[in-house]
Each structure stands twice: as structure tokens, then as C-alpha cells.
Amino acid sequence: MTTARQYVAVKFNPWDRRTYTYHNDGEPVAVGDSVVVSTDRGPSTVTVEAVSDERPTFATKSIVGKEAAQSAAA
């Protein structure tokens, strides 16, 4: 089974006005998820603001994947 490519708008900070669009070919993501993207400064964890299956008119980079859930200490 092949998952359709998602186009994911993300924000680096909650106060950012601008979103950045990446594509996702892996495990589906949803609004509110934390995902890891590659930047010029290295990997960064960002928040998903919107998800679409419509290809934008510009090139996009791939997200690395969902942020691993952190387990609570016992």
C-alpha cells in the first residue's frame, strides 16, 4: 500500500506568522504533530500547522519524520 505524498505547512515557533512547506512521504502526520526537518543549521523540530495533498507551485524539501514521543520517567 502506498501512502500519498503530504504537503505539510510548519512553523518553527508558535509566534511565527510565516509557515514553511515541506513534503512527507512517510508515516502520515496531522495538524499539531511535531516533526523533524533539516535546515542549514541542522535538524529542527517544528509544529505542523496544515496538511494538504495538493502540490504547491514551488519546490519543497522532505521532512525527516515525526518526533519520537518522549516517555515519562517512572
Side-chain angles (χ1 to χ4, degrees):
M1 181 174 121
T2 303
T3 303
R5 175 173 276 186
Q6 292 180 301
Y7 294 95
V8 182
V10 302
K11 283 188 178 180
F12 283 78
N13 297 294
W15 56 86
D16 286 345
R17 290 185 175 191
R18 184 175 194 270
T19 60
Y20 298 83
T21 303
Y22 288 79
H23 64 264
N24 176 35
D25 294 322
E27 178 184 352
V29 298
V31 171
D33 284 349
S34 293
V35 297
V36 178
V37 297
S38 293
T39 70
D40 292 340
R41 295 181 179 167
S44 186
T45 301
V46 296
T47 303
V48 175
E49 293 292 317
V51 179
S52 175
D53 60 356
E54 291 187 35
R55 184 181 186 153
T57 58
F58 49 86
T60 58
K61 294 181 180 179
S62 177
I63 67 167
V64 175
K66 279 188 173 181
E67 182 181 44
Q70 302 212 353
S71 58

